[in-house]
Amino acid sequence: MQHKHGGTFTSSMGAILAAVGSAVGMGNIWLFPYRVGQYGGGAFLIPYFLFVALFSYVGLSGEFAFGRLTGTGTRGSFDYALKTRGLRGGAALGVLPLLGVLGIAIGYSVVVGWVLNYAVGSLTGAVLAGDPDGYFSALAVSFGSVPWHLLVIAATVLILILGVAGGIEKISKFMMPVFYVLFLIIAVRVAFLPGAVEGYRYLLEPDWSYLLRFDTWVMAMGQAFFSLSINGAGMLIYGSYMKKSEDIIHQSVMTAMLDTAAALLAGFAILPAVFAFGIAPESGPPLMFITLPRVFQQMPGGRFFSILFFVSVLFAGITSLINMLEAVSESLGRGARLSRTLSVLIVGGVTSAVGVFLEALPSMGAWMDAVTIYIAPFGAVLAAVILYWVLGLPAVKAELALGRKRPLGRGFDFLSKYVYVILTAVVLVCGILYGGVG
C-alpha cells in the first residue's frame, strides 16, 4: 500500500539510519555500559548478542513487515490484521502501544531538554565551572528546564512537519553519522588516559559464573529488547515508509548491528574515562549529568570533549524522539483525518503540556518507570500476538520475501510464533518483578 501521511524513505541507507536513530538512545549510553560491568563483563555480551540477533531477526523485521504490508501505523495495522479474521476493534487495540510510546516520549523529552542545556552549557563553560551535582540539582527540579524542554519538542515537531524524506530521513542521515564520529573521537581520546585500562577490564573481562545466574539472562534480554525499540509502534511506522524493493531482514540486521555498535562505543568512551579518574561507575541520569561532567573537569581539553559528548547525545535523543512522535501523530492524523502538520502540532502540544510537570528528577523517574515497566511492554506483547497469531505467518513471510533474494531460514516460523511471542511476555513479567529490565 502507498503511505499517504508523509511519503516514503528515498534510500535504503536513509531507512536504516532513521531506524538506528530510533533505536540508539539513552539506554545505550547511560545503562548498557554499567549493566555489562555489573553482570559479568564480557560474559554478559554473550546472552546480549544472542537476544539482539533473535529480536532483530523476528521482532524488528516483523514490525517492519507489518507496517510495509499495511502502509500505515499501529491503529491501521491492527485494524487490518483483525479484519483478516472477520473481527473488529483493531484500531481501538492499537491505541495501547501508542499510549506507551507517547508516555515514553513525554518523559524522554524532559531528558533531551537537559541534554540540550548541557550541550549549550558545555559550550559556554557553565557546566564545568562549578559543582556538577549542584548544577544538575538546580536544573532537574519542577519547571527547572522549561525553555530547553520546549525547544527540543519544537525542533522535533519542525523536523516532522517537513515530512518523511525531507525531515526524518534527511536529519537522520546527518545526525547519526555525526553521532558515531563524535563518540569515536571521544573513545580514542579516552584510550590514552592513564588508568583507562581498568574501565576496559570492567567492561570486557569475563566472569563466566554470571552465565549461570538467571538475572544475567533477564537483564541481557531486557537490554536487547528495549534497545531495538520494539514496541508495536515506532518501528512499525518506519516499516510503512520502506519501499517494497527493500530487503527487510537486511534492514533489521543492519539496524541491530549499528545499535549494538553504538552501545559498545558508548561503553568504550565513558567507563574507561570514569575509571581513569577514580570515580565509581553509575547508571542513569547521575552517570551522564553528574559523573561525566566531573570527568570532563579533570580531563585535559575537557570542555571540548564535553561539547562533543553532549552534542552527540543530543542527536541520539532527537532522532529517538522523532520516531516516537511520528508514530503517534501518524495514527492521529489518519484516524481523525487531520493534515500531517496539524496532527504533529497536537501531539507535540500534548507532549509539552504533560512534560512540563515532570521536569523534577523524581517525577520524571516515576513516570518513566510506570510507562516502561507496565504500559510499553504490554503494547509490545499485544503487537507480537496480533502480528504472528492474528495476521499470521503466511502474510508476514510473503512481505519479508519481497526484495529478498534468499528464502527465510527454516527456524523462522518457530522462533517468531513461539519463542519471540513468549519472550515478549517474559519481558513484561520480569519487568514488573524486577522493577524494570531495560
Side-chain angles (χ1 to χ4, degrees):
M1 294 184 181
Q2 181 65 40
H3 207 296
K4 298 179 181 180
H5 183 65
T8 60
F9 293 124
T10 61
S11 66
S12 177
M13 184 54 66
I16 290 171
L17 289 176
V20 172
S22 169
V24 175
M26 302 306 159
N28 299 72
I29 298 165
W30 72 27
L31 183 58
F32 175 82
Y34 179 78
R35 185 163 281 177
V36 172
Q38 190 180 25
Y39 289 96
F44 177 87
L45 296 177
I46 294 176
Y48 179 75
F49 289 154
L50 288 174
F51 283 119
V52 166
L54 172 65
F55 291 147
S56 63
Y57 182 51
V58 294
L60 194 54
S61 65
E63 293 202 358
F64 282 156
F66 200 4
R68 192 173 72 174
L69 171 64
T70 62
T72 184
T74 304
R75 294 181 70 243
S77 294
F78 281 23
D79 195 48
Y80 177 97
L82 265 67
K83 283 180 178 177
T84 63
R85 301 280 184 169
L87 301 172
R88 296 182 179 181
L93 285 175
V95 171
L96 295 174
L98 293 170
L99 286 175
V101 171
L102 179 60
I104 294 174
I106 289 169
Y108 204 82
S109 65
V110 174
V111 178
V112 182
W114 294 340
V115 174
L116 175 60
N117 177 286
Y118 270 68
V120 174
S122 296
L123 187 63
T124 63
V127 167
L128 306 184
D131 174 37
D133 202 335
Y135 187 93
F136 183 58
S137 296
L139 180 69
V141 296
S142 296
F143 307 105
S145 61
V146 173
W148 308 100
H149 179 193
L150 296 184
L151 194 55
V152 161
I153 296 174
T156 305
V157 165
L158 178 60
I159 293 166
L160 291 178
I161 288 174
L162 294 175
V164 176
I168 299 172
E169 182 175 358
K170 187 172 288 186
I171 205 71
S172 297
K173 282 182 173 180
F174 168 72
M175 285 188 172
M176 291 318 297
V178 171
F179 167 86
Y180 284 101
V181 170
L182 295 184
F183 251 99
L184 183 60
I185 292 171
I186 296 169
V188 171
R189 172 64 186 92
V190 164
F192 291 95
L193 290 174
V197 66
E198 293 303 319
Y200 295 120
R201 284 178 179 166
Y202 182 83
L203 269 174
L204 300 175
E205 192 171 275
D207 183 343
W208 301 113
S209 67
Y210 276 84
L211 291 179
L212 301 178
R213 292 177 51 174
F214 183 68
D215 289 8
T216 303
W217 291 81
V218 169
M219 293 304 168
M221 175 182 64
Q223 186 71 33
F225 187 83
F226 285 100
S227 185
L228 291 174
S229 294
I230 301 173
N231 50 40
M235 292 305 190
L236 195 153
I237 191 61
Y238 277 2
S240 75
Y241 300 146
M242 290 181 182
K243 295 178 179 179
K244 291 290 187 179
S245 58
E246 299 289 355
D247 181 347
I248 283 179
I249 297 294
H250 172 73
Q251 303 286 87
S252 301
V253 170
M254 288 301 298
T255 299
M257 289 177 64
L258 289 171
D259 176 66
T260 302
L264 291 171
L265 196 55
F268 293 142
I270 293 171
L271 286 184
V274 170
F275 275 86
F277 293 101
I279 302 173
E282 296 183 85
S283 64
L287 171 64
M288 184 182 299
F289 298 113
I290 299 174
T291 302
L292 285 177
R294 285 197 180 120
V295 169
F296 293 133
Q297 282 178 329
Q298 301 176 60
M299 181 190 298
R303 181 171 171 182
F304 173 71
F305 290 103
S306 181
I307 294 169
L308 297 189
F309 176 78
F310 285 109
V311 167
S312 63
V313 175
L314 177 65
F315 285 178
I318 289 286
T319 51
S320 295
L321 196 58
I322 285 170
N323 175 254
M324 299 176 209
L325 297 189
E326 174 66 12
V328 180
S329 65
E330 187 277 342
S331 283
L332 174 64
R334 182 177 288 264
R337 298 183 180 180
L338 303 176
S339 68
R340 178 180 183 84
T341 298
L342 183 55
S343 61
V344 168
L345 287 171
I346 291 172
V347 172
V350 171
T351 304
S352 303
V354 179
V356 293
F357 294 99
L358 302 173
E359 293 185 352
L361 181 60
S363 301
M364 189 279 296
W367 174 274
M368 291 296 277
D369 283 347
V371 173
T372 58
I373 292 173
Y374 301 99
I375 303 173
F378 182 78
V381 175
L382 186 61
V385 171
I386 289 178
L387 175 61
Y388 287 119
W389 284 90
V390 179
L391 180 64
L393 276 167
V396 176
K397 292 171 70 176
E399 189 64 31
L400 290 173
L402 299 177
R404 185 168 174 79
K405 296 179 180 179
R406 292 184 295 177
L408 292 170
R410 293 181 180 180
F412 185 87
D413 292 21
F414 178 75
L415 289 174
S416 58
K417 193 170 184 177
Y418 297 99
V419 177
Y420 171 67
V421 174
I422 290 172
L423 284 181
T424 60
V426 172
V427 168
L428 171 62
V429 173
C430 286
I432 295 171
L433 293 177
Y434 282 82
V437 294

